[in-house]
Amino acid sequence: MGKLLWSPIEEQKSQSEINKFKQYIEQRYSLSFAPYHDLWAWSTSTIADFWQDVVTYFIIKFYSGFYRVLAYPANSNSFFGSKWFSGLTLNHAEHVFRCETGADTNAFAHSNGYLQR
């Protein structure tokens, strides 16, 4: 295993979007995830709930609703051939640029570990 090059400080961890999402899930389902791995394990064992919560938490706007988060192919639990968010229509670009402020939005990660815009 390689040498760890960078790790966020506790303040960065607590303010991260993944931590805020983790807290949302913990509150919604009355769960507690100590390490990140526990959240990952939950997300892979309750796939449809996880992705429904991603859509809800991040306020994804649809132009047509979906009637099922995940539909596996007949006689299979394989992701190959699965259908995600059946019936859904959305505008991807709208979500990419929805927080546009008019300022230069090119983002670069610097060697100091902070995101610079």
Side-chain angles (χ1 to χ4, degrees):
M1 189 166 196
K3 177 183 171 188
L4 179 63
L5 299 177
W6 177 83
S7 183
I9 60 175
E10 285 305 315
E11 180 182 7
Q12 291 169 318
K13 288 179 185 179
S14 68
Q15 295 301 313
S16 69
E17 210 54 49
I18 189 72
N19 188 59
K20 293 174 187 175
F21 177 70
K22 178 181 82 75
Q23 291 171 341
Y24 167 80
I25 296 297
E26 288 173 333
Q27 182 178 18
R28 177 168 163 74
Y29 294 98
S30 299
L31 298 170
S32 180
F33 304 116
Y36 167 80
H37 182 268
D38 291 349
L39 175 62
W40 172 84
W42 178 83
S43 76
T44 59
S45 64
T46 58
I47 296 167
D49 288 342
F50 171 76
W51 285 104
Q52 173 66 62
D53 288 319
V54 166
V55 164
T56 302
Y57 178 80
F58 289 103
I59 312 169
I60 305 300
K61 181 180 175 184
F62 304 119
Y63 290 96
S64 64
F66 58 92
Y67 53 88
R68 183 179 297 153
V69 174
L70 173 61
Y72 292 105
N75 302 320
S76 174
N77 282 335
S78 171
F79 282 128
F80 296 106
S82 295
K83 296 194 184 303
W84 291 86
F85 295 97
S86 299
L88 173 73
T89 304
L90 64 83
N91 181 333
H92 180 72
E94 179 178 9
H95 291 286
V96 170
F97 298 112
R98 73 179 173 181
C99 296
E100 174 63 36
T101 63
D104 182 9
T105 57
N106 292 322
F108 299 94
H110 287 266
S111 60
N112 66 7
Y114 292 95
L115 187 65
Q116 305 281 324
R117 292 187 185 265

